[in-house]
C-alpha cells in the first residue's frame, strides 16, 4: 500500500498553531504582497470566500464576517512542513515529499495489521507533535492514493480512507474524470467528448483510445486507476514554469494587474520549488483581447535575468513588478 498524507488547509493551520483562540474560526492567508487570498480555513470556505480574491476587493466583507487575515509567512510554513515530514519518517523511512504539504509513504516491509489504524496513528502523532491536522489515503498506486485522500478529507469522520479491490469500482464510478490526479481541465473536455465521463470510464476505456486522446501519460494514469503502478522514467528537467490567466472582464488598471501578477508569480514559484529548481530569469507579458476586433490591440513582453542570490519570492515579485510597469500602457 501507498499512503498519501495531505495537510489540511496548510497555511491557515500553521497560523492557527500560534493563535489557539482562532480554533473553529475563519482564517485567510494572503499572498506575498497581501495582494490576494491564497489559503482559507474550512470556516472561511463556508462563508463563500473565493480563492485568489483580490484582498482590497473583499477587505470589508472579511471584516464584516469576522475573518482573521494573515500575511504569508513562508519561513514558518517551510519549518512546519519539515516537522511534519520528519514525523512521518518515524513511521517509515520511505517518505517521498511531494509538495510543501503532501507526502507519499510506502508501507512495504512494515508490519501493518490495519491500514485504517495506521492512518489514524499517523494523524494523531502528526497533530500531537506539530499541531497540523492531516488526512490519509491508502491504495496500491499514487493515483488511487490521491483519490482516497480526497475522500478521507471530505467524506469520513476519522480522516482515513482506503481504496482496495472491493470498493475501487464503486469509488471511481462516483468520481468525475476531471477530478483524477493528472487530468487537467482541457484533457477532461477531450475525454468527455469521447464519452469518458467518470474515473471508472477511464479505468475501463480501451488503451488505444486513451493513448490517442491523452498520449502515454494519460495511459499511465488509467493503468494506475486499475491498481497497477505505472513505472515512470525520470521526467526531463523543466526549462520553464509558467502561470497565466485570462481575466473574466477587461482590466486596464495598473494596480489590478500588479495584484494579479504577484499571485501568478507566487503560483509559478511554488511549481518551481516543488520540482526543486531555481529561477534563472523571468518574463512578463500582457496582451489585449484579440477577439475584440473593434478595439485597439496591444501586446508586449519584458524579461530579466535573476541572480542566484535573488531566487526568493519577494525579490522575484519586485523584478516582475518592474517588468510589468515597463510594458504597461494606460487604457
Amino acid at each position: 500500500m501507498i499512503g498519501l498524507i495531505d495537510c489540511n488547509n496548510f497555511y491557515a493551520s500553521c497560523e492557527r498553531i500560534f493563535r489557539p483562540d482562532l480554533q473553529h474560526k475563519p482564517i485567510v492567508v494572503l499572498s506575498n504582497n497581501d495582494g490576494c487570498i491564497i489559503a482559507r480555513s474550512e470556516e472561511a470556505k463556508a462563508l463563500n470566500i473565493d480563492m485568489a480574491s483580490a484582498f482590497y476587493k473583499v477587505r470589508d466583507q472579511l471584516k464584516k464576517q469576522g475573518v482573521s487575515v494573515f500575511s504569508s509567512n513562508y519561513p514558518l510554513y517551510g519549518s512546519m512542513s519539515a516537522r511534519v515530514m520528519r514525523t512521518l519518517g518515524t513511521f517509515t523511512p520511505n517518505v517521498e515529499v511531494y509538495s510543501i504539504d503532501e507526502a507519499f509513504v510506502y508501507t512495504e516491509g512494515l508490519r501493518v495489521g490495519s491500514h485504517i489504524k495506521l492512518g489514524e496513528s499517523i494523524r494523531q502523532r502528526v497533530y500531537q507533535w506539530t499541531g497540523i491536522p492531516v488526512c490519509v489515503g491508502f491504495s496500491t498506486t499514487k493515483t488511487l492514493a490521491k483519490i482516497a485522500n480526497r475522500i478521507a478529507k471530505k467524506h469520513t469522520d476519522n480522516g482515513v480512507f482506503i481504496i482496495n479491490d472491493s470498493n475501487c469500482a464503486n469509488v471511481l464510478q462516483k468520481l468525475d474524470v476531471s477530478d483524477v490526479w493528472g487530468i487537467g481541465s482541457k484533457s477532461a473536455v477531450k475525454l468527455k467528448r469521447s464519452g469518458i465521463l467518470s474515473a471508472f470510464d477511464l479505468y475501463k476505456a480501451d488503451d488505444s483510445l486513451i493513448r490517442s486522446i491523452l498520449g502515454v501519460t494519460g495511459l499511465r494514469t488509467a493503468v494506475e486507476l486499475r491498481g497497477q503502478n505505472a513505472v515512470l522514467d525520470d521526467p526531463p528537467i523543466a526549462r520553464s514554469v509558467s502561470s497565466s490567466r485570462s481575466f473574466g472582464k477587461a482590466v486596464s488598471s495598473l494596480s489590478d494587474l500588479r495584484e494579479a501578477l504577484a499571485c501568478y508569480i507566487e503560483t509559478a514559484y511554488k511549481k518551481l520549488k516543488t520540482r526543486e529548481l531555481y529561477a534563472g530569469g523571468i518574463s512578463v507579458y500582457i496582451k489585449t483581447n484579440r477577439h475584440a476586433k473593434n478595439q485597439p490591440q496591444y501586446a508586449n513582453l519584458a524579461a530579466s535575468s535573476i541572480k542566484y542570490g535573488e531566487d526568493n519570492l519577494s525579490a522575484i515579485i519586485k523584478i516582475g513588478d518592474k517588468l510589468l510597469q515597463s510594458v504597461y500602457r494606460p487604457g
Side-chain angles (χ1 to χ4, degrees), residues 31-296:
S31 59
N32 187 263
N33 66 335
D34 288 353
C36 58
I37 295 172
I38 59 170
R40 304 162 295 165
S41 66
E42 291 299 326
E43 297 80 7
K45 294 176 185 177
L47 295 173
N48 296 319
I49 297 169
D50 294 331
M51 192 73 158
S53 297
F55 177 52
Y56 78 93
K57 291 184 178 180
V58 297
R59 188 196 308 263
D60 293 340
Q61 174 193 349
L62 297 178
K63 185 175 181 180
K64 185 177 180 180
Q65 294 177 318
V67 179
S68 297
V69 179
F70 291 87
S71 298
S72 52
N73 184 346
Y74 293 104
L76 168 65
Y77 309 150
S79 174
M80 294 308 303
S81 174
R83 293 185 191 184
V84 170
M85 303 310 168
R86 285 197 298 268
T87 304
L88 296 179
T90 64
F91 288 92
T92 171
N94 297 320
V95 178
E96 178 186 336
V97 179
Y98 178 64
S99 68
I100 193 171
D101 61 349
E102 290 180 281
F104 290 101
V105 298
Y106 298 86
T107 63
E108 185 178 4
L110 300 182
R111 292 183 178 180
V112 180
S114 165
H115 282 86
I116 289 290
K117 290 183 179 179
L118 174 61
E120 290 173 343
S121 296
I122 290 173
R123 294 191 76 223
Q124 181 180 5
R125 188 179 300 177
V126 170
Y127 188 75
Q128 182 179 356
W129 289 13
T130 70
I132 299 294
V134 302
C135 285
V136 185
F138 282 110
S139 195
T140 53
T141 70
K142 287 183 177 181
T143 301
L144 287 175
K146 287 279 284 188
I147 295 172
N149 186 280
R150 178 190 180 94
I151 296 172
K153 186 173 291 187
K154 295 188 176 184
H155 303 294
T156 67
D157 294 326
N158 66 346
V160 182
F161 191 78
I162 297 174
I163 294 178
N164 51 33
D165 291 343
S166 63
N167 67 356
C168 184
N170 185 52
V171 167
L172 298 183
Q173 285 171 356
K174 297 177 181 178
L175 186 72
D176 191 278
V177 72
S178 63
D179 292 326
V180 175
W181 183 40
I183 303 296
S185 56
K186 292 182 180 179
S187 295
V189 170
K190 294 178 183 178
L191 289 169
K192 289 180 178 181
R193 285 174 183 164
S194 299
I196 300 174
L197 307 179
S198 69
F200 188 67
D201 293 334
L202 183 59
Y203 166 100
K204 65 181 182 179
D206 182 75
D207 286 0
S208 59
L209 174 63
I210 298 171
R211 189 159 189 165
S212 68
I213 299 172
L214 301 181
V216 68
T217 302
L219 181 57
R220 285 169 176 158
T221 297
V223 168
E224 292 233 334
L225 289 177
R226 299 166 191 161
Q228 306 167 39
N229 281 295
V231 179
L232 298 177
D233 297 327
D234 291 336
I237 296 175
R239 303 290 295 177
S240 65
V241 172
S242 66
S243 175
S244 63
R245 301 287 187 279
S246 294
F247 294 96
K249 59 181 180 180
V251 175
S252 59
S253 162
L254 178 59
S255 61
D256 286 350
L257 291 172
R258 293 174 71 184
E259 299 285 4
L261 179 64
C263 289
Y264 301 161
I265 290 176
E266 187 157 4
T267 298
Y269 188 78
K270 287 179 184 176
K271 293 180 184 178
L272 196 75
K273 292 308 168 185
T274 296
R275 301 174 189 180
E276 299 181 349
L277 301 174
Y278 288 95
I282 177 173
S283 61
V284 174
Y285 72 90
I286 55 176
K287 61 182 179 180
T288 49
N289 181 5
R290 68 179 186 275
H291 301 294
K293 304 295 185 182
N294 60 331
Q295 297 178 4

